[in-house]
C-alpha cells in the first residue's frame, strides 16, 4: 500500500515539474498516436506526451484499482535524453524518474 502512495506522490512531482517547464499540454494527441506499438510510442509521441497521456494515467489507474505495479523500470535514461533534447534545465525531472525506477524495482 505504501508503494501506491509513494508512486502517486512521485507522479504529482513529475506533473508539477512538467507544468513548470510547459511540457504538460492541454491538448491531447490524436487517438491514432496513442495506439503505437513501439516502446514509449517513440514513433508517434514525444517522451513528454507519452508521460502525460500514457504513463501517468496508467499508473493512476493501477493505483486506483490496486493493481500490481511493474517489477522493474528503466525510464530515467529516456527522461535524461528527453530533458537534453527539449533544451530544459531540469535535473529534477531526471531525479524524479530515477526515483520512479528505484521505487518500481524495490520489492513491493
Amino acid at each position: 500500500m505504501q508503494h501506491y502512495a509513494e508512486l502517486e506522490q512521485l507522479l504529482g512531482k513529475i506533473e508539477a515539474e512538467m507544468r513548470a517547464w510547459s511540457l504538460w499540454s492541454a491538448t491531447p494527441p490524436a487517438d491514432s498516436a496513442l495506439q503505437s506499438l513501439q516502446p514509449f510510442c517513440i514513433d508517434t509521441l514525444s517522451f513528454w506526451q507519452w508521460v502525460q497521456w500514457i504513463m501517468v494515467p496508467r499508473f493512476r489507474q493501477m493505483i486506483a484499482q490496486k493493481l500490481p505495479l511493474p517489477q522493474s523500470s528503466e525510464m530515467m535514461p529516456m527522461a535524461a535524453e528527453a530533458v537534453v533534447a527539449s533544451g530544459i534545465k531540469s535535473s529534477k525531472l531526471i531525479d524524479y524518474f530515477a526515483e520512479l525506477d528505484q521505487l518500481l524495482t524495490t520489492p513491493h
Side-chain angles (χ1 to χ4, degrees), residues 3-11 59 63 69 100 103-104:
H3 274 77
Y4 292 122
E6 290 176 38
L7 179 57
E8 183 58 47
Q9 184 178 29
L10 201 46
L11 294 175
F59 276 136
I63 292 166
L69 298 175
L100 180 63
L103 176 67
L104 295 176

Side-chain angles (χ1 to χ4, degrees), residues 6-105:
E6 290 176 38
L7 179 57
E8 183 58 47
Q9 184 178 29
L10 201 46
L11 294 175
K13 289 179 182 180
I14 289 169
E15 179 178 340
E17 189 67 6
M18 285 178 62
R19 286 181 184 278
W21 287 96
S22 299
L23 299 170
W24 198 266
S25 175
T27 307
D31 287 341
S32 60
L34 300 172
Q35 304 304 318
S36 171
L37 300 177
Q38 297 296 314
F40 303 102
C41 295
I42 195 90
D43 59 335
T44 57
L45 300 176
S46 72
F47 178 74
W48 305 119
Q49 289 174 313
W50 176 83
V51 168
Q52 178 180 355
W53 301 105
I54 299 205
M55 185 198 87
V56 170
R58 283 190 185 165
F59 276 136
R60 288 194 167 138
Q61 180 182 29
M62 293 170 98
I63 292 166
Q65 296 178 1
K66 304 290 189 251
L67 297 174
L69 298 175
Q71 298 296 308
S72 66
S73 174
E74 295 182 17
M75 286 187 269
M76 191 279 293
M78 280 293 293
E81 188 176 311
V83 164
V84 171
S86 300
I88 60 176
K89 307 284 189 236
S90 176
S91 62
K92 284 183 184 180
L93 278 169
I94 297 170
D95 291 344
Y96 294 155
F97 278 94
E99 286 180 46
L100 180 63
D101 288 347
Q102 179 65 35
L103 176 67
L104 295 176
T105 55

